[in-house]
Amino acid sequence: MTVPSGLDRAGRAAVRRILEHPKFEVLPLKNVLDQVRWLPDGATVSITASPTKTLEDTMDVAAELRLRGFQVVPHLSARMTHDKRHLAALLGRMEQLEMSRVFLVGGDAPQRGIFPDAYSLLLAMDDLGHHLTEIGVTSYPEGHAVISDDKLRQALHDKQPFASYLTTQMCFDAEAIGDFVSGCRADGITLPVRIGIPGVADRLKLIQISTRIGVGQSVRFLSKHRGLVTKFIKPGGYAPEDLLEGLAPLADDPAAAIVGVHIYTFNQCETTERWRQEYLATL
């Protein structure tokens, strides 16, 4: 891997800063425990809420990773949470396992209970009371397949008083991410940002994972991430150096409040972490 030619010293420092301590997202699939052994000791690992599984499955993986010394951030999906009793049980288990961080999503699963979205879940959590010290929420630099931009913007305003930071859904366009963050700041959204970037997975591995998470979920995923087919599913896979280098000015801007990256690993932790370490060595 060659030294980035398009970055000055400040740009390299900015990219290094956001890439040195990422949050790694994994899926609660059978290979997850084998794959996380490639991640750094004590790394922060975010465990998704798969529509084909339950939130208890997510918590089971989180508990195992916690025992292995990782800093875990389980996802809670509003549409997979049945009611306030179910929510209280999940929060209680997290407290018992000394997990103080969570990431909230609306979720793509059919609604299984009383919560239609992350904001309603946040209100219920506030009403119940909880021990959590950090709550992350989602954001969409390129919009959402079925939710209007106006509603997405209002949702961020609604969630801001309860949230600690926002994470952007995976996007391959540095300019779109920059415009989104600038728009948030102009609109009064002050939450720190973790930028969602793809890890490194080859075409065969991604197809295998897609079949595990379900055809319908895969179609929804692809519809929400423009450019994924041409930029990610290709021979040799995709390496996100160009995206990170395009994000350097944003990462270097204190007003943007970019605190790090959220790496969507697709459970390809070995290839993703090898790429990260090799790329950091060039900065």
Side-chain angles (χ1 to χ4, degrees):
M1 188 175 291
T2 59
V3 176
S5 59
L7 294 180
D8 58 16
R9 180 176 296 181
R12 291 184 188 180
V15 172
R16 170 174 282 278
R17 177 183 66 81
I18 64 173
L19 191 59
E20 277 188 321
H21 303 288
K23 182 179 292 182
F24 298 94
E25 181 175 298
V26 298
L27 303 163
L29 303 176
K30 289 182 179 179
N31 72 335
V32 64
L33 298 181
D34 177 63
Q35 280 294 312
V36 295
R37 65 190 176 92
W38 298 102
L39 299 180
D41 292 343
T44 300
V45 183
S46 181
I47 305 100
T48 68
S50 171
T52 61
K53 296 181 179 292
T54 68
L55 293 178
E56 285 72 21
D57 292 322
T58 294
M59 291 298 170
D60 288 346
V61 173
E64 180 59 35
L65 297 189
R66 181 80 174 83
L67 289 174
R68 297 187 183 200
F70 292 106
Q71 302 297 313
V72 296
V73 186
H75 288 207
L76 286 184
S77 166
R79 298 173 69 84
M80 292 172 65
T81 306
H82 301 293
D83 50 31
K84 290 181 74 172
R85 179 179 294 182
H86 186 202
L87 176 60
L90 293 166
L91 293 172
R93 186 176 182 194
M94 289 182 62
E95 184 171 17
Q96 183 181 31
L97 293 169
E98 299 181 345
M99 301 177 190
S100 60
R101 306 161 70 183
V102 73
F103 190 74
L104 298 189
V105 299
D108 290 324
Q111 189 171 332
R112 301 177 187 178
I114 65 173
F115 302 112
D117 52 37
Y119 179 54
S120 62
L121 198 66
L122 277 167
L123 291 177
M125 289 168 58
D126 188 60
D127 185 52
L128 286 169
H130 58 78
H131 68 291
L132 301 170
T133 61
E134 183 182 275
I135 299 174
V137 295
T138 57
S139 61
Y140 300 87
E142 293 184 297
H144 191 281
V146 297
I147 304 173
S148 72
D149 289 345
D150 287 343
K151 288 184 177 180
L152 290 174
R153 190 177 304 113
Q154 184 59 52
L156 284 180
H157 277 288
D158 292 341
K159 291 184 284 189
Q160 180 163 243
F162 305 95
S164 309
Y165 67 95
L166 60 84
T167 293
T168 62
Q169 286 290 313
M170 192 168 62
C171 173
F172 294 93
D173 188 337
E175 183 177 357
I177 295 169
D179 289 345
F180 171 76
V181 173
S182 296
C184 283
R185 301 307 179 228
D187 202 32
I189 303 298
T190 60
L191 293 170
V193 177
R194 278 193 173 271
I195 298 175
I197 66 171
V200 178
D202 65 33
R203 179 170 51 183
L204 177 59
K205 292 293 185 182
L206 187 60
I207 292 171
Q208 291 172 339
I209 290 167
S210 296
T211 61
R212 292 181 192 179
I213 65 176
V215 174
Q217 171 69 357
S218 298
V219 170
R220 284 191 292 272
F221 182 85
L222 291 170
S223 73
K224 291 188 293 184
H225 302 294
R226 302 168 191 172
L228 181 63
V229 174
T230 57
K231 292 190 176 185
F232 194 31
I233 309 175
K234 65 178 184 178
Y238 172 81
E241 294 98 319
D242 289 345
L243 174 59
L244 282 166
E245 289 161 29
L247 290 168
L250 185 69
D252 192 40
D253 181 3
I258 307 301
V259 294
V261 293
H262 178 107
I263 303 179
Y264 297 92
T265 71
F266 301 98
N267 286 23
Q268 299 305 294
C269 297
E270 180 181 3
T271 53
T272 292
E273 180 57 7
R274 182 187 303 119
W275 162 81
R276 190 180 72 94
Q277 293 293 344
E278 291 176 355
Y279 183 58
L280 280 172
T282 71
L283 294 174

